[in-house]
Amino acid sequence: MKLTFRIPYHTAWGENVSVILADEIWVDLYTLDGQIWQGDCEYTPEDTTSAVSYRYAIYSNGSCVRKELGSIPHSFYPGNSLQTHYILNDAWRDLPLKAYKYSSAFNGLYQREMPRWLAENVECCVTFRALCPGLRLKKQALGIIGSCSVLGAWDSKRALRMHEVQPNVWHLTVDASRLMAQSPFEYKFVTINTVTGAIEDWEFGANRVFQIQPLQKGETYLPAETEIHFDQPEQKIAGTAIPVFSLRSEGSFGVGDFGDLKTFIEWAVATHQRAVQILPINDTTMSGTWTDSYPYSSISIYAFHPMYVDLRQLPALKDKNAAMNFERKRLLLNTLPQVDYEEVNRCKRAYIRTVFQQEQKTILADKRFQEFLDTNREWLQPYAAFRYLTEKYHTADFHQWEAYSTYSLEAIEELCSPKSKHYADIAVYYYTQYLLHVQLLAATTYGRNQGVLVKGDIPIGISRTSVEAWMEPFYFNMNGQAGAPPDAFSVNGQNWGMPTYNWNVMAEDNYQWWQRRFRKMAEYFTAYRIDHILGFFRIWEIPYHSVHGLLGQFSPSMPMSQDEIQSYGLTFRKDFMTRPFISDYILNSQFEDKADEVRETFLLPLHSDLYQMRPEFDTQRKVEAYFAGKTDAQSIELKEKIYALISDVLFIPDRDNPEQYHPRIAVQNDYVYQQLTQPEKDAFNRLYNHYYYQRHNNFWYKEAMKKLPILTQSTDMLVCGEDLGMVPDCVPWVMSQLQILSLEIQRMPKDPKVEFGKVYHYPFLSVCTIGTHDMSTFRGWWEEDRKLSERFYYNELGHWGNFPEKAPGWLCEEIVRHHLNSPSMLCILTWQDWLGMDEQLRNPDVDIERINVPANPKHYWRWRMHLTLEQLMGQTAFNDKVRVMIDGSGR
């Protein structure tokens, strides 16, 4: 067949327009006037029942400088055998105007409709194409009605129903000869009730006018796709955020599971909530201790954590004594106020292994199990081998294994082969992941069928001892540690310990590593949160020899030469500015009676009253090793102060070019800065502010736009970004352009000129919340800083009279109402903040409700609901109140 492409596009000098057909064929277009581009090609589709998709791209000097965005490409379907020439008139299209409406979060399950082919004797055709989201959930279809007889002559009973050939993409092919006889004519798009056939909505605005030139035999003309919007209010949603491990039911095993998640979604449905947000659920098992409870350091980007298996859905144990012992343990663990991570995981894994041994023949013969294994083999085999080997060697540090370099893909396949003597042990991991897949899919599918979006969480990093770091080390910088610069959470910055990404290598295959990760999420979720979205612009990279985050640098970034530093009026003195500044004054004031011990143990004298670190203690990791096992408060305090000595520098050499430098973050609080004269301080501050707040905006914008358009449009999930912390100006530029929902928190305002965010001024494309898992609950925050809370109470809320020492229920309710009535598309509150409204129901222990303390890298993630789900479902008065509040807010 012949394809003719036409598109209006005003190019710059040296630019050319091309078509990328079926993701693999490039068709160069030409122009005679610099405005209209067109070109032809011959194309034979492999499958005439499937859509032919294409996108437009702009090239300059052989490189692609711009390509159409969006997860919905242009498309058409080949018609009957007489149609041999398709004339495709298009307009450049990035994201749809309201891209969120096209996400799976706002659309029901899609069942493909085949286009209705015209009779074989029809010689020429016109195919109308339109984009219109959200009709499926309302049992509607898109239709066309118009002034010509083919389109019903404005008779509402004769409107033509279009066909949803792809999700939210509607086509209708008609006989062109009948249209040409009545051209030009007017028409409109309408919605048609799929049950009654009646028109329910008319497109607003003036009538459209269609005029067509005569077509030859075999030609099909396709006018540009049209985005259709009906006059309907924006959809706003309320929901709850809660970690799966925090759920509690009468039958759970000391930790929440995927069966409990389904029950929690039932509660959300009952209270008219339409969103449930969870934390990451990937396997984090490394040491087998409670330190594995950190959910953002996964050992696999695909495998789920075994503790989320709902054991109630497994076959009953035939060994009655074993069953009784497990039940006794379950009852004990389930009565604990918090998760006993180690014991829960030990017991649940033992139970799963016992069931597998009992049912092994049946399990391995199950066609559904085999289908899961075949579909997921690419990641499942390395994961199972990883888990088997880590348990065998009792370590998660592959760098310590002699076997590390010997396990090739072939060796893994041999280890995981059904013929392997280890297969029974390996297959337990397959079975566990199969159970998790089935149970999570059941929970999230239930949510989708009930109109509830279930929102997952994609961590920015992975563990440096993960399957991916083992199998694909070329994607990671193992000498760096991902983290965050100092902020309200941590004055020393955050060191997550994860390797940073080698983005240049990832770009070579169009970020397939990330695309696979997103597509796996899309099997279950209709929305997701990108953890630390700033990491796609730049990541705070900390050298492996550091413990704190203060010695980090942004990667990628543009370091400064000595000449550039001096251009700000600051004389560069390498030794003074790049080595720790340690003087007698610092030692005496910081260490007091321990000063002499520090001098003798950790330091060498330089000259006058200055010192340098001994070589055996010249990094924070070396100091950490010295204090290993010393857990008394005095040793910890001493260790932290020595860390501070090492980070007391003005500039940090660049990772790749040590003759270029980065100003050390937050150094204005340290002693080395105080040694500068006032003119030097002024010069340094000018340099510092330019470097951190101006220098990189365009650079980081381009970095993000290399990655995020590809990743966010690799699925149809609704995209939300966690854009907190030290946010460059370019971040909202990108998020607005890609229509990524921002995160809005009143106590962490985006505007530095205000103390508290203005809830009623939040953008529509946002998620608003009172607090996150990294923060105290509203009740906890209320008691942390009385002066701050007083300013909020009197100045922000406008109250007067006595200040309440503890947040009463009516105040918590007022804050919830403010958020429900905000303009944000999603209002997702933590479960603790919902319960805070009811003084009888809420947990009297405020402190136990905090999930994480970011300043503590060894925090134990173990919070659980103090009520069971059964008790929660039975709280009629509270549930009615939540439902009325949500309905009253229009959510």
Side-chain angles (χ1 to χ4, degrees):
M1 67 177 67
K2 180 180 179 181
L3 306 180
T4 297
F5 299 96
R6 294 174 182 163
I7 185 171
Y9 192 94
H10 183 73
T11 52
W13 177 257
E15 291 182 339
N16 296 288
V17 181
S18 296
V19 176
I20 306 172
L21 181 62
D23 289 329
E24 58 184 19
I25 301 172
W26 272 257
V27 181
D28 292 329
L29 307 185
Y30 66 90
T31 181
L32 299 177
D33 60 4
Q35 300 290 333
I36 304 297
W37 291 79
Q38 64 182 31
D40 303 318
C41 75
E42 292 292 331
Y43 179 71
T44 302
E46 294 181 3
D47 180 5
T48 58
T49 65
S50 297
V52 178
S53 61
Y54 59 97
R55 296 178 188 271
Y56 290 91
I58 309 302
Y59 283 81
S60 179
N61 297 322
S63 298
C64 181
V65 295
R66 188 184 179 199
K67 187 165 66 173
E68 286 184 305
L69 302 177
S71 59
I72 306 174
H74 304 280
S75 64
F76 72 95
Y77 279 81
N80 61 44
S81 59
L82 288 181
Q83 306 308 306
T84 57
H85 184 192
Y86 291 83
I87 303 167
L88 300 140
N89 271 25
D90 291 303
W92 184 277
R93 190 176 76 237
D94 285 325
L95 293 178
L97 181 62
K98 297 181 179 180
Y100 79 93
K101 290 188 173 183
Y102 294 82
S103 71
S104 55
F106 289 91
N107 291 275
L109 294 171
Y110 168 70
Q111 292 183 337
R112 179 185 171 194
E113 284 188 278
M114 289 299 295
R116 187 170 299 169
W117 310 124
L118 299 181
E120 289 292 330
N121 60 356
V122 175
E123 295 184 349
C124 53
C125 305
V126 171
T127 297
F128 292 96
R129 301 177 293 172
L131 306 181
C132 187
L135 301 185
R136 230 173 298 135
L137 286 176
K138 296 184 287 186
K139 294 183 172 56
Q140 292 178 333
L142 192 64
I144 301 182
I145 189 170
S147 60
C148 64
S149 60
V150 178
L151 301 185
W154 297 121
D155 183 346
S156 61
K157 296 179 180 179
R158 295 171 55 200
L160 296 185
R161 182 183 182 280
M162 302 181 75
H163 307 286
E164 192 176 15
V165 296
Q166 298 172 51
N168 308 307
V169 178
W170 302 83
H171 286 189
L172 176 67
T173 300
V174 295
D175 184 344
S177 62
R178 298 177 61 195
L179 289 181
M180 287 189 290
Q182 302 179 60
S183 176
F185 57 84
E186 295 182 338
Y187 69 101
K188 274 186 179 294
F189 289 96
V190 294
T191 65
I192 298 174
N193 187 296
T194 55
V195 177
T196 65
I199 293 178
E200 294 187 332
D201 300 292
W202 288 72
E203 180 185 12
F204 57 89
N207 293 342
R208 298 173 183 269
V209 177
F210 186 89
Q211 186 164 5
I212 186 173
Q213 298 298 320
L215 296 176
Q216 304 300 313
K217 181 178 179 179
E219 290 185 338
T220 296
Y221 173 70
L222 297 95
E225 297 111 327
T226 304
E227 287 184 40
I228 309 301
H229 300 283
F230 295 97
D231 190 12
Q232 297 169 342
E234 299 284 14
Q235 298 183 63
K236 298 202 299 180
I237 287 175
T240 299
I242 191 168
V244 175
F245 63 76
S246 299
L247 299 172
R248 181 193 296 270
S249 67
E250 300 292 346
S252 52
F253 209 118
V255 69
D257 55 47
F258 288 156
D260 293 332
L261 177 59
K262 181 176 180 294
T263 305
F264 191 81
I265 295 171
E266 291 174 3
W267 173 73
V269 172
T271 51
H272 292 188
Q273 298 181 63
R274 289 186 53 206
V276 170
Q277 176 178 320
I278 62 175
L279 293 186
I281 50 177
N282 294 93
D283 193 356
T284 57
T285 307
M286 287 179 280
S287 66
T289 67
W290 65 264
T291 57
D292 296 344
S293 66
Y294 177 41
Y296 285 89
S297 183
S298 66
I299 62 166
S300 169
I301 60 174
Y302 303 108
F304 299 131
H305 203 298
M307 71 179 177
Y308 295 129
V309 172
D310 180 2
L311 301 182
R312 292 163 288 189
Q313 299 183 40
L314 275 58
L317 295 182
K318 295 176 182 178
D319 184 333
K320 300 303 180 185
N321 287 332
M324 208 158 52
N325 288 334
F326 276 117
E327 178 61 12
R328 275 199 294 266
K329 197 67 180 177
R330 185 194 72 79
L331 290 171
L332 178 63
L333 290 170
N334 214 32
T335 57
L336 297 177
Q338 295 175 298
V339 177
D340 184 338
Y341 182 89
E342 294 176 13
E343 195 61 17
V344 159
N345 279 277
R346 188 188 68 79
C347 291
K348 294 193 77 168
R349 286 179 180 139
Y351 191 101
I352 294 169
R353 190 173 291 274
T354 303
V355 170
F356 180 77
Q357 291 169 348
Q358 174 184 294
E359 307 287 336
Q360 182 171 339
K361 288 185 179 179
T362 303
I363 293 166
L364 297 180
D366 190 318
K367 290 183 178 179
R368 293 167 298 178
F369 171 76
Q370 287 299 327
E371 181 181 343
F372 170 78
L373 184 56
D374 291 341
T375 303
N376 297 277
R377 192 179 303 275
E378 185 177 355
W379 67 264
L380 193 54
Q381 274 193 348
Y383 165 77
F386 180 95
R387 288 300 319 278
Y388 169 75
L389 292 170
T390 51
E391 290 200 4
K392 178 180 178 181
Y393 288 93
H394 303 291
T395 177
D397 189 353
F398 273 85
H399 300 285
Q400 296 178 6
W401 298 6
E402 292 181 3
Y404 174 75
S405 60
T406 66
Y407 274 90
S408 61
L409 285 174
E410 293 77 13
I412 290 173
E413 289 179 2
E414 182 179 347
L415 177 66
C416 297
S417 167
K419 297 179 181 179
S420 168
K421 64 180 180 180
H422 306 292
Y423 188 69
D425 296 314
I426 292 288
V428 171
Y429 301 110
Y430 297 160
Y431 176 56
T432 303
Q433 290 303 312
Y434 170 69
L435 293 173
L436 290 160
H437 162 74
V438 170
Q439 294 180 6
L440 177 60
L441 189 62
T444 56
T445 300
Y446 170 78
R448 190 164 185 174
N449 290 338
Q450 296 295 319
V452 174
L453 68 88
V454 184
K455 182 182 173 188
D457 194 336
I458 296 185
I460 185 62
I462 60 159
S463 168
R464 64 179 53 249
T465 52
S466 64
V467 181
E468 286 74 32
W470 177 40
M471 297 300 299
E472 304 166 305
F474 42 84
Y475 282 140
F476 309 98
N477 296 316
M478 302 302 290
N479 292 328
Q481 305 172 98
D487 57 18
F489 293 134
S490 177
V491 294
N492 291 319
Q494 298 177 47
N495 184 347
W496 304 324
M498 305 163 185
T500 56
Y501 293 110
N502 190 337
W503 289 112
N504 291 334
V505 174
M506 288 184 161
E508 291 174 2
D509 64 357
N510 205 32
Y511 307 101
Q512 286 299 323
W513 188 89
W514 278 98
Q515 291 196 59
R516 290 191 297 270
R517 187 177 186 183
F518 280 49
R519 285 194 290 266
K520 184 63 178 176
M521 289 279 289
E523 292 180 22
Y524 311 97
F525 301 103
T526 55
Y528 64 97
R529 166 189 179 271
I530 301 179
D531 169 49
H532 194 66
I533 197 171
L534 306 185
F536 291 90
F537 295 75
R538 80 292 184 273
I539 196 73
W540 187 246
E541 186 175 73
I542 304 159
Y544 193 66
H545 58 68
S546 293
V547 176
H548 285 167
L550 291 174
L551 293 176
Q553 57 190 252
F554 285 122
S555 177
S557 61
M558 298 183 290
M560 307 180 76
S561 66
Q562 294 185 27
D563 288 343
E564 187 177 6
I565 291 171
Q566 296 190 145
S567 72
Y568 283 84
L570 180 66
T571 302
F572 185 78
R573 293 171 282 164
K574 183 175 181 179
D575 287 349
F576 165 66
M577 293 180 171
T578 64
R579 294 180 181 177
F581 179 79
I582 307 170
S583 67
D584 278 328
Y585 173 77
I586 295 172
L587 296 173
N588 293 333
S589 60
Q590 283 296 302
F591 295 95
E592 298 178 341
D593 60 336
K594 293 282 185 180
D596 287 339
E597 178 187 342
V598 171
R599 289 186 184 93
E600 293 171 7
T601 307
F602 300 98
L603 305 176
L604 289 174
L606 275 176
H607 53 80
S608 301
D609 68 338
L610 300 181
Y611 300 83
Q612 67 180 13
M613 301 300 298
R614 289 181 179 272
E616 59 268 36
F617 299 115
D618 61 359
T619 72
Q620 293 179 345
R621 288 290 177 202
K622 292 177 182 179
V623 174
E624 181 185 48
Y626 175 82
F627 283 95
K630 299 177 182 179
T631 57
D632 60 286
Q634 195 174 54
S635 295
I636 292 173
E637 181 183 10
L638 182 60
K639 177 179 66 176
E640 291 293 324
K641 288 182 177 179
I642 296 172
Y643 286 166
L645 289 181
I646 295 172
S647 62
D648 190 17
V649 296
L650 207 62
F651 288 95
I652 296 169
D654 182 63
R655 181 191 70 183
D656 299 319
N657 185 351
E659 293 304 313
Q660 294 193 314
Y661 304 91
H662 308 265
R664 208 217 76 188
I665 193 83
V667 72
Q668 290 89 340
N669 300 320
D670 281 11
Y671 287 101
V672 66
Y673 176 80
Q674 301 306 322
Q675 306 311 306
L676 300 178
T677 65
Q678 190 58 49
E680 287 176 325
K681 288 179 180 178
D682 294 340
F684 179 83
N685 289 337
R686 287 195 303 273
L687 175 155
Y688 183 96
N689 291 333
H690 175 76
Y691 179 89
Y692 280 110
Y693 301 105
Q694 299 167 12
R695 180 184 183 88
H696 294 95
N697 273 320
N698 289 328
F699 176 69
W700 286 335
Y701 169 83
K702 292 176 182 177
E703 287 296 316
M705 289 301 290
K706 292 176 186 176
K707 313 172 189 101
L708 285 174
I710 296 171
L711 305 186
T712 57
Q713 288 140 45
S714 61
T715 75
D716 62 356
M717 294 185 289
L718 180 68
V719 189
C720 309
E722 184 264 287
D723 55 336
L724 304 179
M726 191 175 179
V727 182
D729 290 345
C730 59
V731 172
W733 305 346
V734 171
M735 293 182 70
S736 175
Q737 186 172 347
L738 300 181
Q739 300 185 46
I740 299 172
L741 273 63
S742 64
L743 179 60
E744 305 296 332
I745 302 176
Q746 191 169 21
R747 52 180 130 150
M748 291 189 69
K750 300 285 173 64
D751 183 353
K753 298 187 293 294
V754 299
E755 187 171 26
F756 304 105
K758 307 303 178 184
V759 175
Y760 297 110
H761 292 164
Y762 288 165
F764 173 69
L765 291 180
S766 69
V767 182
C768 76
T769 189
I770 298 171
T772 73
H773 61 274
D774 280 333
M775 306 165 72
S776 51
T777 63
F778 177 74
R779 289 196 297 147
W781 173 79
W782 190 259
E783 298 176 22
E784 288 173 356
D785 185 336
R786 179 187 172 108
K787 291 184 178 179
L788 182 66
S789 300
E790 284 182 345
R791 291 197 297 274
F792 181 73
Y793 185 73
Y794 293 119
N795 301 339
E796 193 66 28
L797 298 182
H799 289 301
W800 53 278
N802 294 331
F803 171 79
E805 296 289 338
K806 298 183 183 298
W810 63 262
L811 180 62
C812 297
E813 180 179 334
E814 179 181 356
I815 301 303
V816 170
R817 289 186 183 277
H818 286 178
H819 285 74
L820 287 175
N821 290 316
S822 76
S824 298
M825 179 198 301
L826 303 183
C827 173
I828 301 181
L829 311 181
T830 64
W831 185 80
Q832 303 97 300
D833 282 333
W834 280 112
L835 266 288
M837 300 188 298
D838 192 312
E839 295 184 17
Q840 303 304 313
L841 280 184
R842 66 192 194 183
N843 195 327
D845 187 345
V846 175
D847 295 334
I848 204 173
E849 289 193 319
R850 180 155 187 175
I851 298 172
N852 180 41
V853 180
N856 178 11
K858 299 295 184 182
H859 183 74
Y860 193 169
W861 297 61
R862 60 189 314 203
W863 170 72
R864 285 191 87 192
M865 300 167 59
H866 62 290
L867 304 176
T868 66
L869 290 167
E870 291 84 355
Q871 290 171 329
L872 180 63
M873 295 288 281
Q875 298 298 324
T876 304
F878 175 76
N879 294 334
D880 286 347
K881 182 175 190 173
V882 171
R883 182 167 53 251
V884 169
M885 289 174 66
I886 291 173
D887 292 348
S889 69
R891 293 188 180 271

